[in-house]
Amino acid sequence: MRRTAWAAVSGVLAVGLGVIAGELAAAALSPSVTPVSAVGAAVVDLVPPPVKDWAVAWFGTADKAVLLATIAVVIAVIAAAAGVLEDRRNFAGRAVIVGFGILGAVAVASRPQSSTVSFVAPAVAALVGIAVLAALVRALRTWSRAADNGGEDPLPARRRFLQGAGGTAAVAVAAGVAATGVRSSQSAVTQQRSSITLPAPVKTAPPAEGSFVPDGAELDVEGISELVTPTAHFYRIDTALVVPVVDAAQWSLTVTGLVDREIEITFEDLLAQPLIERHVTLACVSNTVGGDLTGNARWLGWPVRELLARAGVRPEADMVLSRSADGFTVGTPLEALTDARDALLAVGMNGEPLPVEHGFPVRLVVPGLYGFVSATKWVTELKVTRFADDTAYWSTRGWSERGPVKTSSRIDVPRTNASVPAGDVVVGGVAWAQHRGVEAVEVRVDGGAWQPATLARPISADTWCQYSATLQLEAGEHTVQARAVDREGAVQSEDSVPPAPDGAEGLHTVTFSVT
Ligand SMILES: Nc1nc2c(c(=O)[nH]1)N[C@H]1C(S)=C(S)[C@@H](COP(=O)(O)O)O[C@H]1N2
Ligand SMILES: [Mo]
């Protein structure tokens, strides 16, 4: 039993050191695809959509951490088994490690940003794992032989095994620290980002003259969502386990497909264009009723239609398939990129270069559409095509092909289960119907009649607006609901519909007590 346990420990240590050595090699050679991140990304791509939805529902934005922890546990269990197998039979455990190496290489090959040098890391991981496992199991056998054979003193052999195991653990920790250090020195792109001075926009965000937000757009209601979401609080959603690190000096965007001429622009070219600034509220199609996967920011960028016009779009095209540096794709209706709504190739967010996790150096921002069909981060290619010919990442995974944002509202105050003093009770929140605009918001208490809320002046039809209503409520438990009406006269749907395939519907319902 004791021996089996030590064999298992040997397996975990050997594979652990191998994996860490592989991550260290990748951090130095090919930082955007490490074997572990590649396996994780492959798992993300392969799991059936219902499992993914379940994971997001349970773990929210911690889903990536949970995935990595799960992968670590699975690897550790198999590694322990490999140690035991190797002890029973030479090469049996090493074969398992070769299997790990092949799996890592296949995962790396499946990543669009991988190159030949990316395969060094899984090879290093496998070789280190094999060598360490062989050495530890050999030492374990020597110890065990000495212990079985009464005459010989087993203590020196025991010490040698334990020293080997302890040394492996120590080297693994040191390599882990080194890998983390190399990773953070990849803040080269972070430094580059902070040294960029964005050009001033040729027009300020409408309708402002001198100020970005019009008078009357902000209500003085405590606890309500800020009209412009601070960048640090802006939701983040993407499939990237490791944020793509894209050097702005190397970046370029190509326009391909159904165009008169393929063109390519660099970051420098882009900054030299007349840039405009717009407030646009982004929303994720996975947002549940009352959820927080939506935010409003001020984006600086160049209208996509200008770039498309330079390439000359063919008349048969009806979609643009945009591709990110990590291979993720988005399909956007062509007209949303060419009409007057000012879809942007954005370089700035709230007055600064895009944060790395929000798409540095360049992303798409398209008013009126959910992010999965419009908001490509780290964008590198626009392929002009047809819905009939191309399918984007999420549309092959159970989500719809088109994704106009649905008219929605959220109650920010009171919070669920809050207790507030009797008398005037302020209900407030935000409502959005991007590109159509919000016409009115109504609230109701305990299923009673709908009553109008005060709607703040919107920044534009492409942004959310704040609303509030003051209600006279008696002591006891109460439930409030809100609904928005858009400027096309459509009333927010009351029927509960889940996010898949094209966005949640239903009324945000908040129950609280008045004391
Ligand atoms: N490259 C890339 N871009 C992406 C995604 C992604 O997974 N990869 N996710 C999209 C989705 S689903 C949404 S909702 C928005 C979110 O943008 P944010 O993270 O800046 O809030 O980005 C979009 N752009
Ligand atoms: Mo999304």
Side-chain angles (χ1 to χ4, degrees):
M1 182 58 229
R2 191 88 159 288
R3 173 165 171 182
T4 308
W6 281 119
V9 168
S10 302
V12 172
L13 285 172
V15 170
L17 181 61
V19 168
I20 291 170
E23 293 301 288
L24 179 60
L29 298 172
S30 144
S32 50
V33 227
T34 78
V36 172
S37 72
V39 168
V43 172
V44 170
D45 286 354
L46 292 175
V47 288
V51 176
K52 211 176 308 191
D53 296 341
W54 171 87
V56 171
W58 271 89
F59 307 118
T61 41
D63 57 345
K64 287 175 187 154
V66 171
L67 172 63
L68 289 174
T70 308
I71 291 175
V73 170
V74 171
I75 291 179
V77 169
I78 301 175
V84 174
L85 286 175
E86 181 72 20
D87 185 35
R88 304 253 156 96
R89 205 166 147 229
N90 266 333
F91 295 106
R94 279 177 271 181
V96 173
I97 296 182
V98 170
F100 269 133
I102 292 173
L103 190 75
V106 168
V108 164
S110 76
R111 297 297 97 202
Q113 69 275 43
S114 66
S115 57
T116 319
V117 77
S118 315
F119 294 94
V120 173
V124 165
L127 291 175
V128 168
I130 287 169
V132 173
L133 183 64
L136 285 178
V137 167
R138 210 179 308 120
L140 178 61
R141 285 194 189 134
T142 313
W143 167 23
S144 145
R145 222 178 297 116
D148 290 347
N149 137 11
E152 200 179 329
D153 175 8
L155 282 183
R158 175 174 184 266
R159 194 178 323 115
R160 240 172 288 122
F161 171 77
L162 292 179
Q163 275 169 352
T168 305
V171 173
V173 170
V177 170
T180 316
V182 176
R183 272 233 142 249
S184 65
S185 74
Q186 271 141 20
S187 51
V189 163
T190 313
Q191 274 170 30
Q192 175 187 57
R193 173 181 174 266
S194 54
S195 71
I196 289 173
T197 314
L198 294 175
V202 292
K203 292 182 256 172
T204 50
E209 266 118 316
S211 108
F212 290 121
V213 169
D215 288 342
E218 280 170 300
L219 299 178
D220 185 17
V221 175
E222 188 159 328
I224 203 172
S225 300
E226 285 174 85
L227 181 62
V228 179
T229 313
T231 304
H233 298 161
F234 205 95
Y235 80 96
R236 173 190 166 196
I237 289 288
D238 52 60
T239 58
L241 282 173
V242 176
V243 183
V245 182
V246 180
D247 181 345
Q250 304 288 322
W251 178 88
S252 75
L253 175 71
T254 51
V255 183
T256 61
L258 300 172
V259 289
D260 296 334
R261 60 205 85 82
E262 297 205 340
I263 53 175
E264 181 169 16
I265 59 162
T266 65
F267 192 60
E268 216 187 334
D269 298 336
L270 182 56
L271 293 194
Q273 304 309 315
L275 305 185
I276 61 173
E277 216 163 25
R278 292 282 180 269
H279 282 98
V280 176
T281 299
L282 292 192
C284 182
V285 69
S286 303
N287 196 33
T288 50
V289 172
D292 57 7
L293 299 181
T294 166
N296 185 38
R298 177 163 53 90
W299 307 97
L300 174 74
W302 191 42
V304 185
R305 64 169 175 275
E306 307 282 344
L307 181 68
L308 291 177
R310 280 195 194 174
V313 171
R314 301 260 183 80
E316 63 270 32
D318 65 2
M319 187 254 256
V320 171
L321 189 80
S322 50
R323 185 177 294 276
S324 118
D326 65 357
F328 177 81
T329 54
V330 156
T332 310
L334 178 65
E335 77 266 11
L337 298 177
T338 53
D339 67 13
R341 77 183 70 193
D342 291 336
L344 297 179
L345 278 170
V347 294
M349 178 180 189
N350 292 334
E352 286 179 14
L354 290 180
V356 172
E357 62 274 21
H358 291 292
F360 181 84
V362 184
R363 74 175 303 169
L364 286 174
V365 172
V366 185
L369 304 179
Y370 286 120
F372 81 116
V373 290
S374 70
T376 318
K377 303 190 273 190
W378 316 287
V379 63
T380 57
E381 185 192 347
L382 302 181
K383 179 185 180 196
V384 179
T385 177
R386 296 153 44 83
F387 277 105
D389 299 336
D390 272 297
T391 311
Y393 184 91
W394 285 113
S395 307
T396 59
R397 292 170 169 81
W399 296 84
S400 73
E401 215 165 39
R402 312 226 178 200
V405 178
K406 293 177 177 177
T407 299
S408 310
S409 57
R410 174 174 85 201
I411 299 170
D412 293 326
V413 284
R415 306 221 167 267
T416 294
N417 297 330
S419 80
V420 298
D424 283 351
V425 173
V426 177
V427 174
V430 283
W432 59 92
Q434 285 90 317
H435 211 57
R436 299 180 297 282
V438 176
E439 176 68 29
V441 174
E442 298 170 317
V443 297
R444 72 175 176 196
V445 183
D446 301 329
W450 289 106
Q451 6 183 343
T454 303
L455 191 63
R457 182 176 165 192
I459 299 177
S460 77
D462 297 329
T463 61
W464 63 15
C465 22
Q466 299 177 338
Y467 69 86
S468 77
T470 305
L471 309 169
Q472 302 287 319
L473 297 182
E474 289 174 2
E477 186 146 287
H478 294 285
T479 296
V480 284
Q481 291 175 306
R483 69 176 186 188
V485 182
D486 68 30
R487 287 196 203 140
E488 290 174 354
V491 180
Q492 177 180 342
S493 152
E494 295 192 15
D495 303 330
S496 219
V497 162
D502 63 359
E505 293 175 22
L507 301 180
H508 191 199
T509 302
V510 169
T511 300
F512 60 99
S513 53
V514 172
T515 50

